[in-house]
Amino acid sequence: MKWIAGLLLAATLSGCAYNGPTVLGTWSSTHEQSGPNTLTFRPDGSVTWTFDAPEVGTFQLLYEVNYRSRPHHIELSGFDRGVLAGRVLYGILEFLDANRFRFDAEAGDAGNDGNRPRDFTEAYVYTRESASR
C-alpha cells in the first residue's frame, strides 16, 4: 500500500509546473575569446545570440530548456556557420538569483547530448538586461 502512495506522490510532483526564474528576456556576458555578447530568449523558442566581435556576429537560433533537471538543461540549435554549423550546443544552466545565471556548454551532434557538461568548469555568468516582452 505504501508503494502506491509513493507512486501517486511521485506522479503528482512530476506534474508540478516550474515556478522559478526563466531565461526569457535579454542577458549579457563577456567571453574570453569572443568578448561581450547578449542572448535574447523569446517565448516562441527562438533566441538571438549577438557578439560584439564582428568576426562572430549574430546568430538566430532555437532553444529548449528543461527546468526540471538540476542543473537545468539547455540546447541551442540552428547554427549556420563557423565551427558550430550544423551542430547543437548542449548546455547546463543554473540561476544564481532571478537576474543572473551561469552557463556552460559543449557542441555535439543533433540527438546526442553526450557532450553536455556535468559541472560548471568553464561557465560564464549572464546578467539580465531586460525581461521578455
Side-chain angles (χ1 to χ4, degrees):
M1 226 27 193
K2 287 184 180 180
W3 68 270
I4 293 174
L7 185 60
L8 290 173
L9 178 62
T12 301
L13 291 176
S14 68
C16 293
Y18 174 75
N19 62 359
T22 70
V23 296
L24 295 177
T26 300
W27 304 81
S28 63
S29 185
T30 300
H31 290 187
E32 289 175 18
Q33 293 93 4
S34 51
N37 67 95
T38 58
L39 283 162
T40 301
F41 293 94
R42 291 178 283 286
D44 66 358
S46 65
V47 58
T48 301
W49 200 353
T50 303
F51 291 85
D52 284 358
E55 64 276 9
V56 181
T58 298
F59 294 94
Q60 299 298 329
L61 306 168
L62 299 175
Y63 77 94
E64 289 183 35
V65 179
N66 179 349
Y67 291 107
R68 290 185 182 177
S69 58
R70 294 286 185 258
H72 305 310
H73 288 186
I74 184 167
E75 296 172 8
L76 302 174
S77 61
F79 292 94
D80 60 355
R81 64 188 187 282
V83 297
L84 294 174
R87 305 205 68 203
V88 175
L89 205 53
Y90 293 101
I92 53 175
L93 181 147
E94 179 180 63
F95 286 95
L96 302 172
D97 56 45
N99 294 307
R100 293 180 308 132
F101 66 78
R102 62 181 179 161
F103 169 71
D104 197 351
E106 290 292 332
D109 295 326
N112 181 8
D113 70 348
N115 286 353
R116 186 184 311 275
R118 304 284 183 240
D119 52 37
F120 293 94
T121 57
E122 297 181 31
Y124 291 96
V125 174
Y126 280 81
T127 303
R128 185 185 299 275
E129 289 187 3
S130 66
S132 178
R133 293 177 221 159

